[in-house]
C-alpha cells in the first residue's frame, strides 16, 4: 500500500514539474522570439526541465557519445517509449534543434503554447500533404541555418516493458535522403524500470543513452529507403539489447520482464557461481534498494 501511495504522489509531483517547465518554456519562447533567438527556446526549456526532474524526482540521464551531436545539420532518430522521453530530450537536446509533434498537442495549455512558440513542427496525421509541406519547410531551415531535427520514427510511444523497438515510419529517412543530411541514431535504455503505469512503477534512477555514429545519406537512393530504415532499426535494436533497462532504485515496483532480463544477464556473467547466487547477484545489476 505504501508503495502505491508513493507511486501516485510521484505522478502528481511529476505533472506539476512538467507544467512549471512548460510555463517557463512559454515565457522563454516569447523572450527568445523577441530577441530573434527562437531556435534556442527549446534548448533552454529542455535544460530547465531536465534539472528540475533530476533534483526533484531523482532521475538522471547518462549519455555515451554525446560529442557526436556537435556537428550540424543532422536528423536524430531515437526509440520512443514513454513520457520520460521528454526528460531524455531535456538532457540531450543540442542548441538549434527542434522536434516534430502531432497537431493535437498544440492545444494543451502551457505545454502546447510552449511548443508552438518555440518552433515545433506540428504534423497533422489526417492530412498527409500538410505534414509533408511542414517537414519540407523544416528541411530547408535545417540545411540553410545548420540546425537539427529530432524525430521518433516509431511514430508513437511503445510503453513496452520488453526490450523492443516498433517498426519505423519512413518520413525521417525521406527527409534525410532529400536533403542529403546525416542520420544520427540514438538508443535509449528501456525506462519501464523508472516509470510504468501498468505495474505502478515510479522510481529514482538513471537512463542510459547511447549516441551512435552519424550515417551519411549522400548516396542513399529513394528506392533504398525502406531497407535503410529496416537495417537501422535492427542495428538500434541490437544496441538496445546491450544497454538493457535503466538502472533503478526500486522504491515502488519494477516490471517482471526487467527482473528476468537481469537474471539472464547475471547468469551469463556469473556462470562460475551457483545458479541461485547468480540470480541474486543479477537482480542487483538492475535494481538497488535503499
Amino acid at each position: 500500500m505504501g508503495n502505491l501511495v508513493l507511486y501516485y504522489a510521484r505522478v502528481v509531483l511529476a505533472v506539476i514539474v512538467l507544467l512549471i517547465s512548460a510555463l517557463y518554456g512559454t515565457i522563454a519562447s516569447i523572450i527568445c522570439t523577441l530577441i530573434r533567438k527562437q531556435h534556442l527556446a527549446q534548448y533552454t526549456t529542455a535544460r530547465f526541465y531536465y534539472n528540475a526532474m533530476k533534483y526533484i524526482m531523482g532521475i538522471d540521464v547518462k549519455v555515451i557519445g554525446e560529442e557526436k551531436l556537435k556537428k550540424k545539420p543532422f536528423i536524430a532518430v531515437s526509440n520512443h517509449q514513454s513520457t520520460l522521453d521528454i526528460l531524455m530530450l531535456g538532457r540531450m537536446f543540442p542548441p538549434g534543434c527542434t522536434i516534430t509533434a502531432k497537431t493535437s498537442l498544440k492545444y494543451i495549455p502551457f505545454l502546447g503554447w510552449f511548443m508552438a512558440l518555440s518552433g515545433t513542427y506540428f504534423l497533422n496525421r489526417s492530412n498527409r500533404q500538410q505534414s509533408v509541406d511542414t517537414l519540407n519547410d523544416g528541411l530547408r531551415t535545417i540545411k540553410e541555418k545548420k540546425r537539427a531535427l529530432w524525430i521518433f520514427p516509431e511514430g508513437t510511444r511503445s510503453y513496452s516493458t520488453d526490450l523492443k523497438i516498433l517498426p519505423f515510419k519512413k518520413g525521417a529517412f525521406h527527409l534525410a535522403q532529400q536533403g542529403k543530411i546525416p542520420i544520427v541514431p540514438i538508443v535509449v535504455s528501456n525506462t519501464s524500470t523508472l516509470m510504468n503505469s501498468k505495474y505502478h512503477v515510479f522510481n529514482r534512477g538513471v537512463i542510459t543513452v547511447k549516441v551512435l555514429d552519424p550515417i551519411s545519406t549522400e548516396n542513399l537512393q529513394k528506392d533504398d529507403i525502406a531497407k535503410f530504415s529496416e537495417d537501422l532499426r535492427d542495428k538500434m535494436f541490437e544496441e538496445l539489447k546491450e544497454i538493457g533497462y535503466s538502472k533503478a532504485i526500486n522504491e515502488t515496483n519494477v516490471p517482471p520482464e526487467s527482473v528476468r532480463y537481469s537474471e539472464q544477464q547475471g547468469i551469463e556473467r556469473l556462470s562460475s557461481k551457483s545458479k541461485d547466487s547468480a540470480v541474486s547477484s543479477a537482480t542487483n545489476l538492475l535494481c538497488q534498494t535503499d
Side-chain angles (χ1 to χ4, degrees):
M1 183 64 180
N3 289 1
L4 196 59
V5 171
L6 180 60
Y7 166 76
Y8 283 112
R10 286 185 171 168
V11 168
V12 171
L13 184 56
V15 171
I16 293 172
V17 171
L18 179 62
L19 290 175
I20 292 172
S21 300
L23 177 58
Y24 168 88
T26 302
I27 297 170
S29 298
I30 293 172
I31 294 172
C32 287
T33 301
L34 290 174
I35 64 173
R36 299 186 178 181
K37 297 287 185 181
Q38 187 191 47
H39 63 286
L40 297 179
Q42 291 192 8
Y43 168 76
T44 184
T45 305
R47 287 297 189 270
F48 179 91
Y49 179 68
Y50 161 69
N51 283 292
M53 286 291 287
K54 177 181 177 180
Y55 293 109
I56 296 174
M57 304 303 302
I59 303 176
D60 203 356
V61 181
K62 174 188 175 183
V63 184
I64 302 168
E66 188 172 10
E67 68 280 357
K68 296 169 187 175
L69 297 176
K70 291 182 178 179
K71 187 177 180 180
K72 295 188 282 286
F74 63 78
I75 295 177
V77 297
S78 66
N79 49 321
H80 199 18
Q81 300 178 77
S82 71
T83 51
L84 283 181
D85 290 337
I86 303 174
L87 173 60
M88 177 273 296
L89 286 172
R91 170 63 181 83
M92 298 283 297
F93 223 64
C97 186
T98 191
I99 60 171
T100 61
K102 56 186 179 181
T103 304
S104 58
L105 290 177
K106 184 188 298 186
Y107 306 105
I108 297 177
F110 299 119
L111 178 62
W113 302 342
F114 150 65
M115 295 176 77
L117 288 166
S118 63
T120 298
Y121 297 119
F122 288 103
L123 305 180
N124 186 345
R125 293 178 179 175
S126 63
N127 189 326
R128 184 180 180 278
Q129 187 56 50
Q130 188 179 81
S131 295
V132 169
D133 292 342
T134 298
L135 288 174
N136 284 336
D137 288 342
L139 182 61
R140 283 192 290 272
T141 301
I142 293 167
K143 290 193 68 176
E144 291 173 4
K145 299 185 178 180
K146 295 193 181 299
R147 303 278 173 79
L149 179 65
W150 196 299
I151 296 179
F152 296 105
E154 290 168 280
T156 187
R157 297 184 182 99
S158 66
Y159 294 107
S160 177
T161 53
D162 288 314
L163 299 179
K164 74 175 184 180
I165 298 179
L166 299 176
F168 282 173
K169 299 182 183 300
K170 309 299 187 296
F173 309 104
H174 280 289
L175 276 180
Q177 186 268 332
Q178 291 169 23
K180 303 302 179 185
I181 298 173
I183 292 279
V184 179
I186 296 169
V187 183
V188 186
S189 60
N190 186 287
T191 56
S192 63
T193 49
L194 301 177
M195 180 190 288
N196 182 267
S197 59
K198 179 181 179 181
Y199 294 106
H200 297 114
V201 176
F202 208 139
N203 295 316
R204 292 179 290 150
V206 179
I207 301 169
T208 300
V209 182
K210 186 172 182 180
V211 184
L212 308 186
D213 291 334
I215 303 173
S216 172
T217 60
E218 284 289 335
N219 299 316
L220 180 64
Q221 302 301 312
K222 188 174 182 179
D223 292 341
D224 299 328
I225 288 175
K227 184 177 186 305
F228 178 89
S229 65
E230 289 169 7
D231 289 347
L232 179 57
R233 177 184 171 276
D234 290 342
K235 181 178 181 179
M236 291 173 65
F237 179 54
E238 290 303 313
E239 290 288 346
L240 178 60
K241 289 191 290 186
E242 287 294 319
I243 295 173
Y245 290 82
S246 302
K247 301 298 185 291
I249 299 172
N250 185 8
E251 298 169 313
T252 53
N253 198 9
V254 290
E257 294 87 349
S258 66
V259 176
R260 285 197 294 269
Y261 172 84
S262 67
E263 290 173 353
Q264 293 167 359
Q265 295 294 99
I267 291 171
E268 290 173 3
R269 296 174 189 177
L270 306 169
S271 57
S272 61
K273 298 185 177 182
S274 69
K275 183 176 179 180
D276 289 342
S277 175
V279 170
S280 176
S281 299
T283 305
N284 289 330
L285 293 173
L286 177 68
C287 302
Q288 304 169 358
T289 306
D290 280 353

